Structure formats: structure tokens, C-alpha cells
Amino acid sequence: MLGAPVWSSVRQGLSRGLSRNMGGWASGEGRKVDITGIYPPVTTPFTATAEVDYGKLEENLHKLSTFPFRGFVVQGSNGEFPFLTSSERLEVVSRVRQAMSKDKLLLAGSGCESTQATVEMTLSMAQVGADAAMVVTPCYYRGRMNSAALIHHYTKVADLSPIPVVLYSVPANTGLDLPVDAVVTLSQHPNIVGIKDSGGDVTRIGLIVHKTRRQDFQVLAGSAGFLLPSYAMGAVGGICALANVLGAQVCQLERLCRTGQWEDAQKLQHRLIEPNTADRTRRNFQGSWGLV
């Protein structure tokens, strides 16, 4: 539990209006930090004895660093964070930050089941190098997780986080879709910069983009399988597991979409659907990915 001095220092930091170009509340012009681009959700390698293989993790980061990604995501679903202790989660963030280029963004999954635990994890991840916190919906009591409860949770986290917050909706794993009305309300918070939506409902993505158009709010597709239609609906990038194995192709699809080369983008999107599906179906959790 955070003691009074730590809570005080967090509040003091927020009152000063943190403003790093990458990882602060906003850019120097008062805009929220730009998270545009492609991010591979980095896997967490394990040894045969179920320990985190930090050597393999760093080796993977060096390979992934050869592609023009905007940054990296750690401790998402791909990172198997439920299998890690709190200290392991922080050590992974620290090792990745040390291994990656300083001009890349590091988005770290800090979500926990309670608001206080999420705040504490977010603060700790910021201290070890995360530029933004990606916060998954709490779901154990999903029946009570209505819009009001989720708005309260995310508002408290964003109020006390020294780094920007990215909402994370992944109903396949949580059984809970972050309601659109909650997203719209939360988009108005100065420290909530966007959402990773992994549900695959392009209509929903378009609705979120439309309803948050007056806010400086950014939508990231949660899979390469629907990256093109998400761009067509106004998304600004994607956090795509397929980028771990087909990084060049996923970045090429991003470039084609952003430059309006829709016919070529469609052809490439079609070619990526099957490998994306195969990537999803062959996952063997508890550390035996061997993707890169």
C-alpha cells in the first residue's frame, strides 16, 4: 500500500503538470502525447523452470528493434502478465526500457483488479521507465463493472498516474467490453490519451472515433486482422501480435493506409489474415511462444 509521503509526492507531481515530449501528460503545445503507429505486444519468454528468461527477452527486443515500430507494449495479453509476480512485471518493464531505443515509446500494462493496486503498479512502472500505462478493465467482478464503476476506476488511476493512460478493452480475455459511453466520458480526461480496442468490432471502433472526435483521443486497433478497416474508421495505429513475426509487413500495411494507397493496402490486409489467425490459434501459454 502506498504510504502518505508517496501519495503526497504523486499529487505534487501531477499539480506541476508533467510534460515530457514522450511519456508526460501532454506535448509542449498542450496536446496529449501522440501514440500514433504500430506496436508489437512483446512476449514474455520463460525458461523450462517457469522463470522469466530475461536474456531471451532482450534478444527478442534487439530483433524487433530493426523494424520501424513506434514503440513496444509489455505486460499485455501477449506478455502473459497474469503469470508474473509484481516484481517480475516491474523487472520486465525495466529490462525492456534498457534494451530499447530512447526515441521509442514504451507502453506498459499496469492493470490490476483493484483501483489502488492499479495506481501503485502504474506509479512503479513509471519509475522503471514506462512512457504510458495501458490499463485493462478489471473483470473478476464483471457483473458489477458497469459504466459508472469503470469510469470511477479509470478516473482515479488517471488522476494519480504520472504518465499517460491508455484504456484497454479485450473482451476475449476479460469477458467485458469497455462500454462506448464510458470511453466517451473518459476521453475527456486530460491524462487519458486513447484506447486499445481488441474486440474486432469495426463498427464500435468507428463509433468511438466519431464520438470522441472533439477530444484529443486516439484509437489503436488490437490486432493486425482488422488493422485496415480500423484505419479506414479513423484509428491511428495498432498493437498487433502479428508484428512480432511479420513486423515489416504490418508496418508496410500501416504506411499504405496512412498514405491512402487503399487498393495495395487491401491486398496486403488479405494476405495477413491467415497468418494472423494462425498466430492466434497456435499460442501455447506459460511461455512457449518462440515467436522471434
Side-chain angles (χ1 to χ4, degrees):
M1 180 178 295
L2 292 174
V6 177
W7 282 107
S8 176
S9 67
V10 173
R11 291 191 177 95
Q12 289 173 10
L14 295 180
S15 68
R16 288 194 295 267
L18 299 176
S19 57
R20 290 193 297 161
N21 285 335
M22 294 172 61
W25 271 44
S27 70
E29 298 177 350
R31 290 174 57 83
K32 294 178 180 179
V33 66
D34 184 6
I35 57 172
T36 298
I38 299 297
Y39 302 78
V42 178
T43 60
T44 303
F46 293 86
T47 67
T49 57
E51 302 292 329
V52 177
D53 190 335
Y54 294 108
K56 185 64 176 178
L57 175 64
E58 293 172 13
E59 180 183 329
N60 288 349
L61 259 294
H62 288 306
K63 293 178 180 178
L64 291 171
S65 294
T66 63
F67 300 106
F69 297 129
R70 179 69 177 90
F72 301 99
V73 170
V74 293
Q75 304 306 309
S77 302
N78 240 37
E80 303 181 53
F81 73 89
F83 296 141
L84 303 183
T85 65
S86 295
S87 61
E88 286 174 331
R89 291 179 71 178
L90 294 174
E91 183 65 17
V92 167
V93 174
S94 177
R95 295 291 188 101
V96 171
R97 178 76 269 176
Q98 293 172 42
M100 62 185 278
S101 173
K102 293 181 179 177
D103 65 340
K104 304 290 187 183
L105 281 178
L106 176 57
L107 277 57
S110 64
C112 302
E113 282 300 312
S114 78
T115 302
Q116 182 167 319
T118 302
V119 169
E120 293 181 14
M121 182 60 73
T122 302
L123 177 61
S124 296
M125 286 186 169
Q127 291 173 338
V128 296
D131 292 306
M134 190 175 75
V135 181
V136 70
T137 51
C139 61
Y140 187 82
Y141 297 104
R142 67 176 60 84
R144 302 296 296 274
M145 292 293 104
N146 56 24
S147 291
L150 290 165
I151 289 169
H152 176 81
H153 172 73
Y154 280 108
T155 299
K156 289 294 185 182
V157 172
D159 282 348
L160 293 168
S161 172
I163 54 178
V165 171
V166 176
L167 311 175
Y168 182 22
S169 182
V170 55
N173 290 345
T174 63
L176 178 66
D177 229 343
L178 186 55
V180 172
D181 67 301
V183 176
V184 173
T185 298
L186 292 167
S187 72
Q188 300 171 52
H189 194 289
N191 201 31
I192 295 178
V193 299
I195 183 173
K196 176 193 177 184
D197 196 307
S198 296
D201 184 344
V202 179
T203 302
R204 169 188 156 90
I205 288 175
L207 186 61
I208 290 173
V209 170
H210 174 67
K211 285 185 171 290
T212 62
R213 66 192 182 280
R214 291 186 174 86
Q215 307 300 325
D216 189 9
F217 189 76
Q218 302 154 87
V219 178
L220 298 173
S223 171
F226 50 90
L227 187 58
L228 183 154
S230 296
Y231 269 116
M233 285 292 182
V236 302
I239 299 174
C240 307
L242 190 63
N244 282 289
V245 289
L246 293 176
Q249 290 85 345
V250 175
C251 288
Q252 182 186 7
L253 179 56
E254 176 210 16
R255 181 182 61 80
L256 292 172
C257 291
R258 290 179 60 81
T259 56
Q261 300 179 64
W262 295 109
E263 184 175 348
D264 289 340
Q266 183 187 68
K267 293 176 182 177
L268 180 54
Q269 177 71 86
H270 286 164
R271 294 201 301 271
L272 292 179
I273 290 174
E274 285 189 327
N276 186 73
T277 302
D279 174 49
R280 292 179 61 190
T281 57
R282 77 178 186 178
R283 296 177 189 177
N284 180 12
F285 288 100
Q286 192 64 19
S288 54
W289 282 72
L291 287 179
V292 291

